[in-house]
Amino acid sequence: MRNVQLPGNQQSLMTVRSTKECESYCLNNCSCTAYAYASSCSVWNGDSINLKQMSDGDGGGEDLYLRLAAIDLQRNAEQLGDGESAFFPCWAAKKIVEDEVLSLLDYRLDAIANIGELRRASRVSCWCIQDNENDRPSMELVVQILAGVRDVSMPPIPWPIKILTDKSSWISS
């Protein structure tokens, strides 16, 4: 939500140092319902009380990112008439397609990971959710890929992710 007066019942996280870390914290915390990052990270657990949309000319508003369940996104798409019903872990899938796999790590790891292993695991996960069953790898192939014995290319974009790419305004990047 753009340009809103933030609710007053937030929890401030002083150890979180960037927007991406704030986003990661919220997405990895089951009770987090929203987050905002101005000069520090604020998260909300439960209801966001006294949320106010500012008018376009008003300054002082912040961007608030709401965490929605996949079922809420599905209902939203159906209400808009798209008829598409699969919006599962949409944020992570978008990051894989954009080769921003480092953003999938828990912020507490301080981005310390083997990027090659992370890329392989992320790509093989996309292969495993292909629409056509014949395009999915066997478990033997998955094990070989994860072990680094076999290479893995970027898979075709499954239709739910393609929809998200076409409607990138639905989720934050």
Side-chain angles (χ1 to χ4, degrees):
M1 299 179 70
R2 303 274 181 222
N3 198 28
V4 297
Q5 179 180 338
L6 297 177
N9 58 333
Q10 78 268 18
Q11 174 188 357
S12 295
L13 302 173
M14 298 304 176
T15 59
V16 176
R17 300 175 305 266
S18 71
T19 303
K20 289 207 181 279
E21 285 183 10
C22 191
E23 177 182 39
S24 179
Y25 174 86
C26 186
L27 292 173
N28 287 299
N29 181 338
C30 294
S31 61
C32 181
T33 56
Y35 74 93
Y37 189 89
S39 58
S40 65
C41 180
S42 297
V43 294
W44 286 264
N45 299 316
D47 294 333
S48 300
I49 301 168
N50 295 329
L51 182 63
K52 180 181 175 187
Q53 179 72 51
M54 307 294 278
S55 63
D56 288 336
D58 285 343
E62 302 289 339
D63 292 343
L64 178 69
Y65 297 90
L66 300 174
R67 183 175 175 195
L68 301 174
I71 191 69
D72 293 331
L73 291 173
Q74 177 182 344
R75 286 186 195 131
N76 190 13
E78 289 169 355
Q79 288 171 355
L80 292 173
D82 290 344
E84 306 300 346
S85 61
F87 283 90
F88 305 108
C90 59
W91 174 82
K94 186 172 185 254
K95 295 298 182 185
I96 293 167
V97 169
E98 294 172 349
D99 200 28
E100 294 180 15
V101 293
L102 203 55
S103 65
L104 301 175
L105 283 179
D106 188 302
Y107 80 97
R108 294 171 288 193
L109 294 175
D110 290 325
I112 299 171
N114 181 316
I115 192 73
E117 289 178 3
L118 185 57
R119 185 173 288 121
R120 273 196 308 276
S122 300
R123 287 182 178 180
V124 79
S125 69
C126 278
W127 275 108
C128 291
I129 62 168
Q130 289 298 307
D131 298 324
N132 185 341
E133 194 174 316
N134 295 327
D135 291 336
R136 299 178 197 152
S138 67
M139 279 309 298
E140 178 182 7
L141 183 56
V142 168
V143 170
Q144 291 173 350
I145 291 168
L146 293 177
V149 176
R150 299 276 301 263
D151 289 331
V152 61
S153 61
M154 189 62 202
I157 301 173
W159 66 269
I161 299 170
K162 188 165 180 62
I163 292 168
L164 291 174
T165 304
D166 294 341
K167 296 182 180 176
S168 60
S169 64
W170 286 29
I171 57 176
S172 64
S173 56

